Amino acid sequence: MKFEKLVPSVFYKNIQDSHKLFVDCLEFSIIVDESGAPYPFYVIEKDGLGLLIYQNAEYAEKEKPELRLVTKNIEEVYEKVAATHPELLHPNLKKVTLREWGAKEFAILDGQVGIRFQQW
């Protein structure tokens, strides 16, 4: 069995709210834009990673996803995010921190989705 990519689904109350985090801050590209459809969604991609972003207030309220992005240069990612979108830095992990399990981590949060960046 071979898989090419894992594409999780993320739900927002308002699909436009996903732009700041995923498009502006993390520089994902919108590959499919169905924001005007009866059930709005985007397909976004960057560096071989993909996400489906759906507008669904009920699911957005129930689910508060935390995603992890693993990198080989966490300091570079942190510097870019801190310089361009410091308001997204998670208050509990707003600096690159060496964790007791051996990973360096920091996190961002837009109120609906949390992303933890990790370097082993």
Side-chain angles (χ1 to χ4, degrees):
M1 225 182 333
K2 182 179 186 285
F3 301 105
E4 294 182 11
K5 177 186 328 189
L6 177 66
V7 182
S9 297
V10 175
F11 299 93
Y12 275 82
K13 292 177 186 175
N14 182 331
I15 198 165
Q16 299 302 320
D17 294 344
S18 68
H19 275 246
K20 184 175 186 178
L21 180 69
F22 290 104
V23 177
D24 299 340
C25 182
L26 299 180
E27 301 174 344
F28 276 74
S29 296
I30 297 173
I31 304 304
V32 176
D33 182 345
E34 288 292 329
S35 56
Y39 299 99
F41 73 93
Y42 294 132
V43 177
I44 62 171
E45 290 186 348
K46 179 185 172 82
D47 301 330
L49 305 175
L51 285 169
L52 281 165
I53 307 289
Y54 290 99
Q55 180 172 298
N56 185 308
E58 178 186 353
Y59 287 179
E61 189 61 37
K62 290 178 185 177
E63 298 181 15
K64 303 290 185 197
E66 179 183 291
L67 307 172
R68 289 180 189 263
L69 289 175
V70 178
T71 181
K72 292 187 191 247
N73 193 341
I74 197 165
E75 284 81 11
E76 178 184 326
V77 175
Y78 174 77
E79 287 172 14
K80 177 140 187 163
V81 170
T84 62
H85 293 82
E87 71 281 4
L88 293 177
L89 292 169
H90 194 295
N92 296 335
L93 197 54
K94 61 184 174 187
K95 299 275 184 193
V96 175
T97 303
L98 180 60
R99 309 295 272 184
E100 57 268 16
W101 47 87
K104 290 181 182 178
E105 298 181 342
F106 82 95
I108 60 177
L109 177 68
D110 73 354
Q112 295 184 70
V113 175
I115 298 178
R116 186 177 300 239
F117 298 89
Q118 195 171 60
Q119 179 180 339
W120 287 99

